[in-house]
Coordinates of all heavy atoms in Angstrom, one line a residue:
V234 N -32.3 15.1 2.6 CA -33.2 14.1 3.1 C -34.6 14.6 3.2 O -35.6 14.0 2.9 CB -32.7 13.6 4.5 CG1 -33.8 12.7 5.1 CG2 -31.4 12.8 4.3
E235 N -34.7 15.9 3.6 CA -36.1 16.5 3.8 C -36.7 16.7 2.4 O -37.9 16.4 2.3 CB -36.0 17.8 4.5 CG -36.0 17.6 6.0 CD -35.6 18.8 6.8 OE1 -35.6 19.9 6.3 OE2 -35.4 18.7 8.0
R236 N -36.0 17.2 1.5 CA -36.6 17.6 0.2 C -36.8 16.4 -0.8 O -37.7 16.4 -1.6 CB -35.7 18.6 -0.5 CG -35.9 20.0 -0.1 CD -35.0 20.8 -0.9 NE -35.7 21.7 -1.8 CZ -35.6 23.0 -1.8 NH1 -34.9 23.5 -0.8 NH2 -36.1 23.7 -2.7
F237 N -35.9 15.4 -0.7 CA -35.9 14.4 -1.7 C -35.9 13.0 -1.0 O -35.1 12.1 -1.3 CB -34.7 14.5 -2.6 CG -34.5 15.8 -3.2 CD1 -33.5 16.7 -2.8 CD2 -35.3 16.3 -4.2 CE1 -33.3 18.0 -3.3 CE2 -35.2 17.6 -4.8 CZ -34.2 18.4 -4.3
S238 N -36.9 12.9 -0.1 CA -36.8 11.7 0.8 C -36.9 10.4 0.1 O -36.4 9.4 0.6 CB -37.9 11.8 1.9 OG -39.2 11.8 1.2
D239 N -37.5 10.4 -1.1 CA -37.6 9.1 -1.8 C -36.5 8.9 -2.9 O -36.5 8.0 -3.7 CB -39.0 9.0 -2.5 CG -39.3 10.1 -3.5 OD1 -38.5 11.1 -3.5 OD2 -40.2 10.0 -4.2
R240 N -35.4 9.8 -2.8 CA -34.3 9.7 -3.8 C -33.0 9.8 -3.1 O -32.0 10.2 -3.7 CB -34.4 10.7 -4.9 CG -35.6 10.5 -5.8 CD -35.6 11.4 -7.0 NE -36.2 12.7 -6.8 CZ -35.8 13.8 -7.3 NH1 -34.7 13.9 -8.1 NH2 -36.4 15.0 -7.1
V241 N -32.9 9.5 -1.8 CA -31.7 9.6 -1.1 C -31.2 8.2 -0.7 O -32.0 7.3 -0.4 CB -31.8 10.5 0.2 CG1 -31.7 11.9 -0.2 CG2 -33.0 10.1 1.0
L242 N -29.9 8.0 -0.6 CA -29.3 6.7 -0.2 C -28.2 7.1 0.8 O -27.7 8.2 0.8 CB -28.6 6.0 -1.4 CG -29.6 5.6 -2.6 CD1 -28.7 5.2 -3.8 CD2 -30.5 4.5 -2.2
W243 N -27.8 6.1 1.6 CA -26.7 6.3 2.5 C -25.7 5.1 2.5 O -26.1 4.0 2.2 CB -27.2 6.4 3.9 CG -26.2 6.6 5.0 CD1 -25.8 7.9 5.4 CD2 -25.4 5.7 5.7 NE1 -24.7 7.7 6.3 CE2 -24.5 6.4 6.5 CE3 -25.4 4.3 5.7 CZ2 -23.6 5.7 7.4 CZ3 -24.4 3.6 6.5 CH2 -23.6 4.4 7.4
G244 N -24.4 5.4 2.6 CA -23.4 4.3 2.7 C -22.2 4.7 3.6 O -22.0 5.9 3.8
T245 N -21.5 3.7 4.0 CA -20.4 3.9 4.9 C -19.2 4.5 4.2 O -18.3 5.2 4.7 CB -19.9 2.6 5.5 OG1 -19.7 1.7 4.5 CG2 -20.9 2.1 6.6
D246 N -19.0 4.1 2.9 CA -17.8 4.3 2.1 C -16.6 3.5 2.6 O -15.5 3.8 2.3 CB -17.4 5.8 2.0 CG -16.4 6.0 0.9 OD1 -16.4 5.2 -0.1 OD2 -15.6 7.0 1.0
W247 N -16.9 2.5 3.4 CA -15.8 1.6 3.8 C -15.1 1.0 2.6 O -15.8 0.7 1.6 CB -16.4 0.4 4.7 CG -15.3 -0.5 5.3 CD1 -14.8 -0.3 6.5 CD2 -14.8 -1.6 4.7 NE1 -13.9 -1.3 6.7 CE2 -13.8 -2.2 5.6 CE3 -14.9 -2.3 3.5 CZ2 -13.1 -3.3 5.4 CZ3 -14.2 -3.5 3.2 CH2 -13.3 -3.9 4.2
P248 N -13.8 0.9 2.6 CA -12.8 1.1 3.6 C -12.2 2.5 3.5 O -11.0 2.7 3.9 CB -11.7 0.0 3.3 CG -11.9 -0.2 1.9 CD -13.3 0.1 1.4
H249 N -12.9 3.5 3.0 CA -12.6 4.9 3.1 C -11.3 5.2 2.4 O -10.3 5.7 3.0 CB -12.5 5.3 4.6 CG -13.7 4.9 5.4 ND1 -14.9 5.5 5.3 CD2 -13.8 3.9 6.3 CE1 -15.8 4.9 6.1 NE2 -15.1 3.9 6.7
P250 N -11.2 5.0 1.1 CA -10.0 5.2 0.3 C -9.6 6.7 0.4 O -10.4 7.6 0.3 CB -10.4 4.8 -1.1 CG -11.9 4.8 -1.2 CD -12.3 4.5 0.2
N251 N -8.3 6.8 0.4 CA -7.6 8.2 0.3 C -8.0 9.1 1.4 O -7.9 10.3 1.2 CB -8.0 8.8 -1.1 CG -7.6 7.9 -2.2 OD1 -6.4 7.5 -2.3 ND2 -8.5 7.5 -3.1
M252 N -8.4 8.6 2.6 CA -8.6 9.5 3.7 C -7.2 9.9 4.2 O -6.4 9.1 4.4 CB -9.4 8.9 4.8 CG -10.9 8.8 4.5 SD -11.7 10.5 4.4 CE -11.5 11.1 6.0
K253 N -7.0 11.2 4.4 CA -5.7 11.6 4.9 C -5.8 12.3 6.3 O -4.8 12.1 7.1 CB -5.1 12.7 3.9 CG -4.9 12.2 2.5 CD -3.8 11.1 2.4 CE -3.6 10.6 1.0 NZ -3.5 9.2 0.9
S254 N -6.9 12.9 6.6 CA -7.0 13.6 7.9 C -7.2 12.6 9.1 O -6.6 12.8 10.1 CB -8.2 14.6 7.9 OG -9.4 13.8 7.6
H255 N -7.9 11.6 8.9 CA -8.2 10.6 9.9 C -8.9 9.4 9.3 O -9.4 9.5 8.2 CB -9.1 11.2 11.0 CG -10.5 11.5 10.6 ND1 -10.8 12.5 9.7 CD2 -11.7 10.9 10.9 CE1 -12.1 12.5 9.4 NE2 -12.7 11.5 10.1

Side-chain angles (χ1 to χ4, degrees):
V234 168
E235 272 167 15
R236 274 180 113 123
F237 308 107
S238 59
D239 58 349
R240 291 189 273 146
V241 283
L242 300 168
W243 182 89
T245 53
D246 196 28
W247 187 90
H249 313 288
N251 303 306
M252 282 298 294
K253 300 291 178 227
S254 56
H255 68 290

